[in-house]
Amino acid sequence: MAAVIAIGAAPKPAADPTLVLGSTGWTLEYFGPDVTILRATLSRETSGEAGNVVLSCAGRRRRLTIGLPRFARPQAAGTASGSLLIRAFPRSPADPFVIAHVQPSQAGTFSAANEVGQGEEPVLAFARLLLDRPQRLDLLSRDVPRPVAFGSLTPLQVSLSWTPRDTLAFQAFLAACTRASLRQ
């Protein structure tokens, strides 16, 4: 019940955000006609400590990987499967949030993978959410069966930084993923 309350609570403005996603822009890479990767750095404003966010499409296989910097990792990270809620602020009317079934690791990485046509599409939903250029993302993890969160069920808040080429990178990534899945 506590997790539901935390997820449904109104987002608080980040007074002093410590994580920034995309401060140097998003990098789009193609490896042949079927493999596309979109990535950005997830960094701490006050130090060189960094993680990353990687979205990839390889034919009909899609993957979202979020690697948190060491200071931001959940205290009870484990290897059991769980869920990761990604909520944008301000909220997008089209895609207000993404829920991904993830495999968390001891190293602070959350990975969600799926095949086209088999269940949810967290990779494409996340890319569409970013197209709206939100100011912030709230991340909340939940292990199965008990909730594990970032500090007492408070979402980890990530500020977003944008470069002029980012929107084009998201659009190209979405188009490449769609083309690759149709070819297979």
Side-chain angles (χ1 to χ4, degrees):
M1 182 62 134
V4 174
I5 293 169
I7 290 171
K12 298 174 188 171
D16 182 27
T18 57
L19 281 177
V20 176
L21 177 59
S23 61
T24 58
W26 287 80
T27 302
L28 180 65
E29 299 171 300
Y30 297 100
F31 298 93
D34 293 333
V35 179
T36 306
I37 295 175
L38 182 64
R39 61 184 168 82
T41 302
L42 182 61
S43 60
R44 190 174 192 175
E45 289 182 329
T46 57
S47 75
E49 200 173 340
N52 57 34
V53 173
V54 179
L55 293 88
S56 65
C57 294
R60 297 180 58 83
R61 183 114 173 114
R62 298 178 178 150
R63 179 176 297 278
L64 166 65
T65 305
I66 299 173
L68 297 174
R70 187 174 40 251
F71 79 94
R73 293 178 187 158
Q75 295 175 353
T79 56
S81 64
S83 298
L84 182 66
L85 178 111
I86 306 167
R87 176 176 61 189
F89 180 80
R91 293 189 181 165
S92 161
D95 289 308
F97 60 87
V98 175
I99 296 177
H101 296 287
V102 295
Q103 288 293 131
S105 76
Q106 294 288 352
T109 299
F110 294 90
S111 183
N114 72 293
E115 293 283 330
V116 173
Q118 295 180 346
E120 302 170 1
E121 291 282 348
V123 173
L124 298 184
F126 186 59
R128 284 191 301 268
L129 183 134
L130 292 171
L131 264 173
D132 286 337
R133 298 174 70 104
Q135 298 169 2
R136 185 183 81 226
L137 297 176
D138 295 333
L139 305 177
L140 180 70
S141 71
R142 183 176 65 85
D143 272 354
V144 176
R146 72 185 201 300
V148 175
F150 303 93
S152 302
L153 295 174
T154 302
L156 177 66
Q157 295 182 346
V158 178
S159 293
L160 287 116
S161 179
W162 303 104
T163 66
R165 61 185 152 79
D166 290 339
T167 299
L168 183 58
F170 299 133
Q171 292 169 337
F173 177 79
L174 288 164
C177 286
T178 303
R179 279 193 309 272
S181 65
L182 293 175
R183 277 195 289 272
Q184 304 264 325

